[in-house]
Structures are given as C-alpha cells and as structure tokens.
Coordinates of all heavy atoms in Angstrom, one line a residue:
M1 N 23.4 -86.8 11.6 CA 23.0 -85.8 12.5 C 21.7 -85.2 11.9 O 21.5 -85.1 10.7 CB 24.0 -84.7 12.6 CG 25.1 -85.1 13.6 SD 26.2 -83.7 13.9 CE 27.3 -83.9 12.6
W2 N 20.9 -84.6 12.8 CA 19.6 -84.1 12.4 C 19.4 -82.7 13.0 O 19.8 -82.4 14.2 CB 18.5 -85.0 12.9 CG 18.7 -86.4 12.3 CD1 19.4 -87.4 12.7 CD2 18.1 -86.8 11.0 NE1 19.4 -88.5 11.9 CE2 18.6 -88.1 10.8 CE3 17.3 -86.2 10.1 CZ2 18.3 -88.8 9.6 CZ3 17.0 -86.9 8.9 CH2 17.5 -88.2 8.7
L3 N 18.8 -81.9 12.3 CA 18.4 -80.5 12.7 C 16.9 -80.5 13.0 O 16.1 -80.8 12.2 CB 18.7 -79.5 11.6 CG 18.2 -78.1 11.8 CD1 19.1 -77.4 13.0 CD2 18.4 -77.2 10.6
V4 N 16.6 -80.1 14.3 CA 15.2 -80.0 14.7 C 14.9 -78.5 14.9 O 15.6 -77.9 15.7 CB 14.9 -80.8 15.9 CG1 13.4 -80.7 16.3 CG2 15.3 -82.3 15.8
T5 N 13.9 -78.0 14.2 CA 13.5 -76.6 14.4 C 12.2 -76.5 15.1 O 11.2 -77.2 14.7 CB 13.5 -75.9 13.0 OG1 14.7 -76.2 12.3 CG2 13.2 -74.4 13.1
I6 N 12.2 -75.8 16.1 CA 11.0 -75.6 17.0 C 10.5 -74.2 16.9 O 11.3 -73.2 16.9 CB 11.3 -75.9 18.5 CG1 12.0 -77.2 18.6 CG2 10.0 -75.8 19.3 CD1 11.3 -78.4 18.3
Y7 N 9.2 -74.0 16.7 CA 8.6 -72.7 16.6 C 7.5 -72.6 17.7 O 6.8 -73.5 18.0 CB 7.8 -72.5 15.3 CG 8.6 -72.8 14.1 CD1 8.7 -74.1 13.5 CD2 9.4 -71.8 13.5 CE1 9.5 -74.3 12.4 CE2 10.1 -72.0 12.3 CZ 10.2 -73.3 11.8 OH 10.9 -73.6 10.7
C8 N 7.5 -71.4 18.4 CA 6.4 -71.2 19.4 C 6.1 -69.7 19.5 O 6.9 -68.9 19.3 CB 6.8 -71.8 20.7 SG 8.0 -70.9 21.7
S9 N 4.9 -69.5 20.0 CA 4.4 -68.1 20.2 C 5.0 -67.6 21.5 O 5.4 -68.4 22.4 CB 2.9 -68.0 20.2 OG 2.4 -68.7 21.4
A10 N 5.0 -66.3 21.7 CA 5.4 -65.7 23.0 C 4.6 -66.3 24.2 O 5.1 -66.6 25.2 CB 5.4 -64.2 22.9
E11 N 3.3 -66.3 24.0 CA 2.4 -66.8 25.0 C 2.7 -68.3 25.4 O 2.7 -68.7 26.5 CB 0.9 -66.7 24.6 CG -0.1 -67.1 25.6 CD -1.5 -66.9 25.1 OE1 -1.8 -65.8 24.6 OE2 -2.3 -67.8 25.4
S12 N 2.9 -69.1 24.4 CA 3.2 -70.5 24.6 C 4.5 -70.6 25.3 O 4.7 -71.5 26.2 CB 3.3 -71.3 23.3 OG 2.0 -71.2 22.6
W13 N 5.5 -69.8 25.0 CA 6.8 -69.9 25.6 C 6.7 -69.5 27.1 O 7.2 -70.2 28.0 CB 7.8 -68.9 25.0 CG 9.1 -69.0 25.6 CD1 9.7 -68.0 26.5 CD2 10.1 -70.0 25.5 NE1 10.9 -68.4 26.9 CE2 11.2 -69.6 26.3 CE3 10.1 -71.2 24.9 CZ2 12.3 -70.5 26.5 CZ3 11.3 -72.0 25.0 CH2 12.3 -71.6 25.8
R14 N 5.9 -68.5 27.4 CA 5.7 -68.1 28.8 C 5.1 -69.2 29.6 O 5.4 -69.4 30.8 CB 4.9 -66.8 28.9 CG 5.6 -65.5 28.6 CD 4.9 -64.3 28.9 NE 3.7 -64.0 28.0 CZ 3.8 -63.5 26.8 NH1 5.0 -63.0 26.4 NH2 2.8 -63.3 26.0
S15 N 4.1 -69.9 29.0 CA 3.4 -70.9 29.8 C 4.1 -72.3 29.8 O 3.9 -73.0 30.8 CB 2.0 -71.1 29.3 OG 2.0 -71.6 27.9
D16 N 5.0 -72.6 28.8 CA 5.5 -73.9 28.7 C 7.1 -74.0 28.6 O 7.6 -75.0 28.3 CB 4.9 -74.7 27.5 CG 3.5 -75.0 27.8 OD1 3.1 -75.5 28.9 OD2 2.7 -74.9 26.8
A17 N 7.8 -72.9 28.9 CA 9.2 -72.9 28.8 C 9.9 -73.9 29.7 O 10.8 -74.6 29.3 CB 9.8 -71.5 29.1
T18 N 9.4 -74.1 30.9 CA 10.0 -75.0 31.8 C 9.8 -76.5 31.3 O 10.8 -77.2 31.3 CB 9.4 -74.9 33.2 OG1 9.6 -73.5 33.7 CG2 10.0 -75.9 34.2
T19 N 8.6 -76.8 30.9 CA 8.4 -78.1 30.3 C 9.2 -78.3 29.1 O 9.8 -79.4 28.9 CB 6.9 -78.3 30.0 OG1 6.1 -78.0 31.2 CG2 6.6 -79.7 29.5
F20 N 9.3 -77.3 28.2 CA 10.1 -77.5 27.0 C 11.6 -77.7 27.3 O 12.2 -78.6 26.7 CB 10.0 -76.2 26.1 CG 10.9 -76.2 24.9 CD1 10.6 -77.0 23.8 CD2 12.0 -75.5 24.9 CE1 11.5 -77.0 22.7 CE2 12.9 -75.5 23.8 CZ 12.6 -76.3 22.7
N21 N 12.1 -77.0 28.3 CA 13.5 -77.2 28.6 C 13.8 -78.6 29.2 O 14.8 -79.1 29.0 CB 14.0 -76.1 29.6 CG 14.2 -74.8 28.9 OD1 14.6 -74.7 27.7 ND2 13.8 -73.7 29.5
A22 N 12.8 -79.1 29.9 CA 12.9 -80.5 30.4 C 13.0 -81.5 29.2 O 13.7 -82.5 29.3 CB 11.8 -80.8 31.3
I23 N 12.2 -81.2 28.2 CA 12.2 -82.1 27.0 C 13.6 -82.0 26.3 O 14.1 -83.0 25.9 CB 11.1 -81.7 26.0 CG1 9.7 -82.0 26.6 CG2 11.2 -82.4 24.7 CD1 8.5 -81.4 25.9
V24 N 14.1 -80.8 26.2 CA 15.4 -80.6 25.6 C 16.5 -81.4 26.4 O 17.3 -82.1 25.8 CB 15.8 -79.1 25.5 CG1 17.3 -78.9 25.1 CG2 14.9 -78.3 24.6
A25 N 16.4 -81.4 27.7 CA 17.4 -82.1 28.5 C 17.2 -83.6 28.3 O 18.2 -84.3 28.3 CB 17.3 -81.7 30.0
K26 N 16.0 -84.1 28.2 CA 15.7 -85.5 28.1 C 16.4 -86.1 26.8 O 16.8 -87.2 26.8 CB 14.2 -85.7 28.0 CG 13.7 -87.1 27.8 CD 12.2 -87.1 27.8 CE 11.6 -88.4 27.5 NZ 10.2 -88.4 27.4
Y27 N 16.4 -85.3 25.8 CA 16.9 -85.8 24.5 C 18.4 -85.4 24.2 O 18.9 -85.6 23.2 CB 16.0 -85.4 23.3 CG 14.7 -86.1 23.3 CD1 13.6 -85.6 23.9 CD2 14.6 -87.4 22.8 CE1 12.4 -86.2 23.9 CE2 13.5 -88.1 22.9 CZ 12.3 -87.5 23.4 OH 11.2 -88.2 23.5
A28 N 19.0 -84.7 25.2 CA 20.3 -84.2 25.0 C 20.5 -83.4 23.7 O 21.5 -83.6 23.0 CB 21.4 -85.3 25.1
A29 N 19.5 -82.6 23.4 CA 19.6 -81.8 22.2 C 20.6 -80.7 22.3 O 20.6 -79.9 23.3 CB 18.2 -81.2 21.9
K30 N 21.5 -80.5 21.3 CA 22.5 -79.5 21.3 C 21.9 -78.2 20.7 O 21.5 -78.2 19.5 CB 23.7 -79.9 20.6 CG 24.8 -78.9 20.5 CD 25.9 -79.4 19.6 CE 27.0 -78.3 19.5 NZ 28.0 -78.7 18.6
P31 N 21.8 -77.1 21.5 CA 21.2 -75.9 20.9 C 22.2 -75.3 19.8 O 23.4 -75.2 20.1 CB 21.1 -75.0 22.1 CG 21.7 -75.6 23.2 CD 22.1 -77.0 22.9
L32 N 21.6 -74.9 18.7 CA 22.4 -74.3 17.6 C 22.1 -72.8 17.5 O 23.0 -72.0 17.3 CB 22.2 -75.0 16.3 CG 22.6 -76.5 16.2 CD1 22.2 -77.0 14.9 CD2 24.0 -76.6 16.5
S33 N 20.8 -72.5 17.6 CA 20.4 -71.1 17.6 C 19.0 -70.9 18.2 O 18.2 -71.8 18.2 CB 20.4 -70.6 16.1 OG 19.3 -71.1 15.4
T34 N 18.8 -69.6 18.7 CA 17.5 -69.2 19.2 C 17.3 -67.8 18.7 O 18.2 -67.0 18.8 CB 17.5 -69.2 20.7 OG1 17.8 -70.6 21.2 CG2 16.2 -68.8 21.3
K35 N 16.1 -67.6 18.2 CA 15.7 -66.3 17.7 C 14.4 -65.9 18.3 O 13.5 -66.6 18.3 CB 15.6 -66.2 16.2 CG 16.8 -66.6 15.4 CD 16.5 -66.7 13.9 CE 17.7 -67.3 13.2 NZ 17.4 -67.7 11.9
K36 N 14.4 -64.7 18.9 CA 13.2 -64.1 19.4 C 12.8 -62.9 18.5 O 13.5 -62.0 18.4 CB 13.4 -63.6 20.8 CG 12.1 -63.0 21.5 CD 12.5 -62.6 22.9 CE 11.3 -61.9 23.6 NZ 11.7 -61.4 24.9
M37 N 11.7 -63.1 17.8 CA 11.2 -62.1 16.8 C 10.8 -60.8 17.5 O 10.2 -60.8 18.6 CB 10.1 -62.6 16.0 CG 10.4 -63.8 15.2 SD 11.8 -63.5 14.1 CE 12.5 -65.1 14.0
K38 N 11.2 -59.6 17.0 CA 10.9 -58.3 17.6 C 9.5 -58.0 17.6 O 8.9 -57.5 18.5 CB 11.7 -57.3 16.9 CG 13.2 -57.3 17.1 CD 13.9 -56.2 16.4 CE 15.4 -56.3 16.7 NZ 16.1 -55.2 16.1
D39 N 8.8 -58.3 16.5 CA 7.4 -57.9 16.3 C 6.4 -58.6 17.3 O 5.7 -57.9 18.0 CB 6.9 -58.0 14.9 CG 7.1 -59.4 14.3 OD1 7.8 -60.2 14.9 OD2 6.5 -59.7 13.3
D40 N 6.4 -59.9 17.3 CA 5.4 -60.6 18.1 C 6.1 -61.5 19.2 O 5.4 -62.2 19.8 CB 4.5 -61.4 17.2 CG 5.3 -62.4 16.4 OD1 6.5 -62.6 16.5 OD2 4.6 -63.1 15.5
E41 N 7.4 -61.4 19.3 CA 8.1 -62.2 20.3 C 8.0 -63.7 20.2 O 8.3 -64.4 21.1 CB 7.8 -61.7 21.7 CG 8.1 -60.3 22.0 CD 7.9 -59.9 23.4 OE1 7.4 -60.7 24.3 OE2 8.2 -58.7 23.8
R42 N 7.6 -64.2 19.0 CA 7.6 -65.7 18.9 C 9.1 -66.1 18.8 O 10.0 -65.3 18.6 CB 6.8 -66.1 17.6 CG 7.5 -65.6 16.3 CD 6.5 -65.8 15.2 NE 6.8 -64.8 14.2 CZ 7.5 -65.0 13.1 NH1 7.8 -66.2 12.7 NH2 7.7 -64.0 12.3
R43 N 9.3 -67.4 19.0 CA 10.6 -67.9 19.1 C 10.8 -69.0 18.0 O 9.9 -69.8 17.7 CB 10.9 -68.5 20.4 CG 11.0 -67.5 21.5 CD 11.2 -68.1 22.9 NE 11.1 -67.1 23.9 CZ 12.1 -66.5 24.5 NH1 13.3 -66.8 24.1 NH2 11.9 -65.6 25.4
I44 N 12.0 -69.0 17.5 CA 12.4 -70.1 16.6 C 13.8 -70.6 17.1 O 14.7 -69.9 17.3 CB 12.7 -69.5 15.1 CG1 11.4 -68.9 14.6 CG2 13.2 -70.6 14.2 CD1 11.6 -68.1 13.3
M45 N 13.8 -71.9 17.4 CA 14.9 -72.5 18.0 C 15.4 -73.7 17.2 O 14.6 -74.5 16.7 CB 14.6 -73.0 19.4 CG 14.1 -71.8 20.3 SD 13.3 -72.4 21.8 CE 11.6 -72.7 21.1
E46 N 16.7 -73.9 17.0 CA 17.3 -75.0 16.3 C 18.1 -75.8 17.2 O 18.9 -75.3 18.0 CB 18.1 -74.5 15.1 CG 17.2 -73.8 14.1 CD 18.0 -73.3 12.9 OE1 19.2 -72.9 13.1 OE2 17.4 -73.3 11.8
F47 N 18.0 -77.1 17.1 CA 18.8 -78.1 17.9 C 19.4 -79.2 17.0 O 18.8 -79.5 16.0 CB 17.9 -78.7 18.9 CG 17.3 -77.8 19.9 CD1 16.1 -77.1 19.7 CD2 18.0 -77.5 21.1 CE1 15.6 -76.2 20.6 CE2 17.5 -76.6 22.0 CZ 16.3 -76.0 21.7
Q48 N 20.5 -79.7 17.4 CA 21.1 -80.8 16.7 C 20.9 -82.0 17.6 O 21.2 -82.0 18.8 CB 22.6 -80.5 16.5 CG 23.4 -81.7 15.9 CD 24.9 -81.3 15.8 OE1 25.3 -80.2 15.5 NE2 25.7 -82.3 16.2
I49 N 20.5 -83.1 16.9 CA 20.4 -84.4 17.6 C 21.0 -85.5 16.7 O 20.9 -85.4 15.5 CB 18.9 -84.7 17.8 CG1 18.3 -83.7 18.8 CG2 18.7 -86.1 18.3 CD1 16.9 -84.0 19.2
E50 N 21.7 -86.4 17.3 CA 22.5 -87.4 16.6 C 21.6 -88.5 15.9 O 21.8 -88.8 14.8 CB 23.5 -88.1 17.5 CG 24.6 -87.1 18.1 CD 25.5 -86.6 17.1 OE1 25.9 -87.3 16.1 OE2 25.9 -85.4 17.2
D51 N 20.7 -89.0 16.6 CA 19.9 -90.2 16.2 C 18.6 -89.8 15.6 O 17.9 -89.0 16.2 CB 19.7 -91.1 17.4 CG 19.0 -92.4 17.0 OD1 19.6 -93.2 16.3 OD2 17.8 -92.5 17.3
V52 N 18.2 -90.4 14.4 CA 17.0 -90.0 13.8 C 15.8 -90.3 14.6 O 14.8 -89.6 14.7 CB 16.9 -90.6 12.4 CG1 16.8 -92.1 12.4 CG2 15.7 -90.0 11.6
S53 N 15.8 -91.4 15.4 CA 14.7 -91.8 16.2 C 14.5 -90.8 17.3 O 13.4 -90.4 17.7 CB 14.9 -93.2 16.8 OG 15.0 -94.2 15.8
D54 N 15.6 -90.3 17.9 CA 15.5 -89.3 18.9 C 15.0 -88.0 18.3 O 14.3 -87.2 19.0 CB 16.9 -89.1 19.6 CG 17.3 -90.2 20.5 OD1 16.4 -91.0 20.9 OD2 18.5 -90.3 20.9
A55 N 15.5 -87.6 17.1 CA 15.0 -86.4 16.5 C 13.5 -86.4 16.3 O 12.8 -85.4 16.6 CB 15.7 -86.2 15.2
E56 N 13.0 -87.5 15.8 CA 11.6 -87.7 15.6 C 10.8 -87.6 16.9 O 9.8 -87.0 17.0 CB 11.3 -89.0 14.8 CG 9.8 -89.1 14.4 CD 9.6 -90.3 13.6 OE1 10.4 -91.2 13.5 OE2 8.5 -90.4 13.0
A57 N 11.3 -88.3 17.9 CA 10.6 -88.3 19.2 C 10.7 -86.9 19.9 O 9.7 -86.5 20.5 CB 11.3 -89.4 20.1
F58 N 11.8 -86.2 19.7 CA 11.9 -84.9 20.3 C 10.9 -84.0 19.6 O 10.2 -83.2 20.2 CB 13.3 -84.4 20.0 CG 13.6 -83.0 20.5 CD1 13.4 -82.6 21.8 CD2 14.1 -82.0 19.6 CE1 13.6 -81.2 22.2 CE2 14.3 -80.7 19.9 CZ 14.1 -80.3 21.2
Q59 N 10.8 -84.1 18.3 CA 9.8 -83.3 17.5 C 8.4 -83.6 18.0 O 7.7 -82.6 18.3 CB 10.0 -83.6 16.0 CG 8.8 -83.0 15.2 CD 8.8 -83.5 13.8 OE1 9.5 -83.0 12.9 NE2 8.1 -84.6 13.6
D60 N 8.1 -84.8 18.1 CA 6.7 -85.2 18.5 C 6.4 -84.8 19.9 O 5.3 -84.3 20.1 CB 6.6 -86.7 18.4 CG 6.6 -87.2 16.9 OD1 6.5 -86.4 16.0 OD2 6.7 -88.5 16.7
E61 N 7.3 -84.9 20.8 CA 7.1 -84.5 22.2 C 6.9 -83.0 22.3 O 6.1 -82.5 23.0 CB 8.2 -85.0 23.1 CG 7.8 -84.9 24.5 CD 8.6 -85.7 25.5 OE1 9.4 -86.6 25.0 OE2 8.5 -85.5 26.7
C62 N 7.7 -82.2 21.5 CA 7.6 -80.7 21.5 C 6.2 -80.3 21.0 O 5.6 -79.4 21.5 CB 8.7 -80.1 20.7 SG 10.3 -80.2 21.5
M63 N 5.7 -81.0 20.0 CA 4.4 -80.7 19.5 C 3.3 -81.0 20.4 O 2.1 -80.6 20.1 CB 4.3 -81.3 18.1 CG 5.2 -80.6 17.1 SD 4.9 -80.9 15.3 CE 4.8 -82.7 15.2
T64 N 3.5 -81.7 21.5 CA 2.4 -81.9 22.4 C 2.2 -80.7 23.3 O 1.1 -80.6 23.9 CB 2.7 -83.1 23.4 OG1 3.9 -82.8 24.2 CG2 3.0 -84.4 22.6
L65 N 3.1 -79.8 23.3 CA 2.9 -78.5 24.0 C 2.1 -77.6 23.2 O 2.3 -77.4 22.0 CB 4.3 -77.8 24.3 CG 5.3 -78.7 25.1 CD1 6.6 -78.0 25.2 CD2 4.7 -78.9 26.5
N66 N 1.1 -76.9 23.8 CA 0.2 -76.0 23.2 C 1.0 -74.9 22.5 O 1.7 -74.2 23.2 CB -0.8 -75.5 24.2 CG -1.9 -74.7 23.5 OD1 -2.3 -75.0 22.4 ND2 -2.4 -73.7 24.2
G67 N 0.8 -74.7 21.2 CA 1.4 -73.5 20.5 C 2.8 -73.8 20.0 O 3.4 -72.9 19.4
F68 N 3.3 -75.0 20.1 CA 4.6 -75.4 19.6 C 4.4 -76.2 18.4 O 3.6 -77.1 18.3 CB 5.4 -76.2 20.7 CG 6.0 -75.4 21.8 CD1 5.2 -74.8 22.7 CD2 7.4 -75.3 21.9 CE1 5.8 -74.1 23.8 CE2 8.0 -74.6 22.9 CZ 7.2 -74.0 23.9
T69 N 5.2 -75.9 17.4 CA 5.3 -76.7 16.2 C 6.8 -77.1 15.9 O 7.7 -76.4 16.5 CB 4.8 -76.0 14.9 OG1 5.5 -74.8 14.7 CG2 3.3 -75.7 15.1
A70 N 7.0 -78.1 15.2 CA 8.4 -78.6 15.0 C 8.6 -79.3 13.6 O 7.6 -79.8 13.1 CB 8.8 -79.5 16.1
Q71 N 9.8 -79.3 13.2 CA 10.1 -80.1 12.0 C 11.6 -80.6 12.1 O 12.3 -79.9 12.9 CB 9.9 -79.3 10.7 CG 10.9 -78.1 10.6 CD 10.6 -77.3 9.4 OE1 9.5 -77.1 9.0 NE2 11.7 -76.7 8.8
F72 N 12.0 -81.6 11.4 CA 13.4 -82.0 11.4 C 13.8 -82.4 10.1 O 13.0 -82.8 9.2 CB 13.7 -83.1 12.5 CG 13.2 -84.5 12.1 CD1 14.1 -85.4 11.6 CD2 11.9 -84.9 12.4 CE1 13.7 -86.7 11.2 CE2 11.5 -86.2 12.1 CZ 12.4 -87.1 11.5
E73 N 15.1 -82.3 9.9 CA 15.8 -82.6 8.6 C 17.2 -83.0 8.8 O 17.8 -82.7 9.8 CB 15.7 -81.4 7.6 CG 16.4 -80.2 8.2 CD 16.2 -78.9 7.3 OE1 15.2 -78.2 7.6 OE2 17.1 -78.6 6.5
S74 N 17.7 -83.7 7.8 CA 19.1 -84.1 7.9 C 20.1 -83.0 7.8 O 19.9 -82.0 7.1 CB 19.4 -85.1 6.8 OG 20.7 -85.5 6.8
L75 N 21.2 -83.0 8.6 CA 22.2 -82.0 8.5 C 23.2 -82.4 7.5 O 23.8 -83.3 7.3 CB 22.9 -81.8 9.9 CG 22.2 -80.9 10.8 CD1 22.9 -80.9 12.2 CD2 22.2 -79.5 10.2

C-alpha cells in the first residue's frame, strides 16, 4: 500500500477541485485525511492507493494541475 500526499493552495483548489476529484475517482484513491489550514486555506490531503504504479501515476496526474504538488511513500 502507498500513501500519496497532495498539497494545494486555496486558489488552486477553487479553480481545479472538480478536475482533482475526477482524478481521485479515476484511481480509486481511498481518502485518509484532509486538512484545510486556517491561515491561508491551503489544503493537505492524504490518500491510500494499493498499487505502486497507480500511486505514481496519481501523483504525476495531480501535479499537472496548476498549484498542486504531491509525493508518495510506502505505508
């Protein structure tokens, strides 16, 4: 299993949330946590993905969205 962590700004979330949620559905990523920071409203989201290839592809596709960054690691 793999943990994929996604970071995005509030502005990026407002403009690309629908596209991001479609990516999540495409990879059947299981949401583990979502944090919205009080000061600047940026988001930190964690997802669990079973296959390493899917985790890497999910990370890469999320990073195509403006203002989104991602990383993954083994659980």
Side-chain angles (χ1 to χ4, degrees):
M1 283 190 270
W2 299 89
L3 173 69
V4 181
T5 306
I6 310 294
Y7 307 90
C8 74
S9 67
E11 183 179 315
S12 297
W13 180 256
R14 283 190 289 276
S15 65
D16 290 318
T18 302
T19 305
F20 174 75
N21 287 324
I23 294 169
V24 171
K26 177 179 174 182
Y27 289 97
K30 178 183 175 186
L32 298 177
S33 71
T34 299
K35 298 174 190 166
K36 181 179 175 183
M37 300 299 152
K38 290 181 181 181
D39 57 345
D40 60 4
E41 296 187 358
R42 68 192 148 105
R43 294 177 186 262
I44 302 170
M45 300 163 281
E46 296 180 326
F47 297 89
Q48 176 182 317
I49 295 185
E50 296 294 324
D51 183 72
V52 67
S53 297
D54 287 345
E56 186 173 15
F58 176 59
Q59 170 193 271
D60 291 346
E61 195 164 344
C62 288
M63 290 195 308
T64 65
L65 300 174
N66 188 32
F68 281 70
T69 59
Q71 65 184 36
F72 75 97
E73 62 188 84
S74 178
L75 276 174

